[in-house]
Amino acid sequence: MLKRAALPLALGLPLLLGACAPINSLLASRDGEKGPLQFGPLAVGQTWTLGGVLEGRNVVTTIAIPDLVNVQDRFASYSARDQYTGFNDNRTGFAVATYDPGRRNVEFRWVGDAGTASFDRVVYTCKLDRLIGNPLIGTLTYQRNGQVQANGTCEANLSQQS
């Protein structure tokens, strides 16, 4: 009698497993594929456009995220050595994005053009403490030779993601 009861179950088992096949294949493809490395709103392959107004002039730049590495408990688009070199050598256009998971904020910093006073160090910082919405809104700071010259508001727009 037990054999007769098990026969319909045994015959239905392949149909039951076949019905699960699409779910299994869907889960398998999700498990096997990895997206770009991401921390907070920053992901490898992104390009951000930042802009703001300081002292009546527009400030605009784009910052690419080529990589994300751990730098002093933060995730940054460049290593500490690259950051030191870029800012210390005053390389106009050098930019870094940093996500602080403890504070849940993002900073975009870049070396600006010092104009005719090429020995001056010009650094812009767009600090975003509220990571909700589009564009992200934050505080823009302009420094010359380490001294804050002006503050304003900045916007960060994700302009490209590969």
Side-chain angles (χ1 to χ4, degrees):
M1 185 82 164
L2 184 60
K3 289 182 182 181
R4 282 190 185 182
L7 185 59
L9 182 60
L11 292 174
L13 191 58
L15 293 174
L16 182 60
L17 291 176
C20 294
I23 294 171
N24 284 340
S25 68
L26 178 64
L27 292 175
S29 67
R30 284 186 58 198
D31 290 341
E33 294 176 16
K34 292 185 179 180
L37 185 60
Q38 181 170 356
F39 294 100
L42 303 178
V44 172
Q46 290 177 334
T47 301
W48 290 81
T49 301
L50 294 114
V53 177
L54 286 172
E55 299 178 331
R57 62 187 170 85
N58 289 325
V59 176
V60 178
T61 194
T62 57
I63 297 180
I65 313 295
D67 198 3
L68 286 171
V69 294
N70 194 328
V71 178
Q72 299 171 348
D73 298 326
R74 294 178 175 92
F75 298 96
S77 55
Y78 288 98
S79 70
R81 176 179 285 176
D82 290 337
Q83 289 182 48
Y84 176 80
T85 302
F87 286 100
N88 196 49
D89 292 350
N90 206 26
R91 289 195 333 233
T92 300
F94 178 79
V96 64
T98 307
Y99 173 68
D100 183 339
R103 292 193 171 105
R104 293 187 178 181
N105 67 21
V106 172
E107 272 190 11
F108 292 97
R109 293 181 21 211
W110 65 97
V111 178
D113 184 10
T116 57
S118 60
F119 54 87
D120 284 351
R121 265 194 201 122
V122 172
V123 176
Y124 294 94
T125 303
C126 177
K127 185 175 180 182
L128 307 161
D129 289 319
R130 190 165 180 249
L131 304 178
I132 298 171
N134 188 32
L136 300 176
I137 307 293
T139 303
L140 181 62
T141 303
Y142 163 60
Q143 292 183 341
R144 185 177 285 276
N145 297 323
Q147 300 296 315
V148 174
Q149 302 294 310
N151 287 306
T153 302
C154 59
E155 291 185 357
N157 286 289
L158 179 60
S159 54
Q160 179 182 341
Q161 184 162 353
S162 52

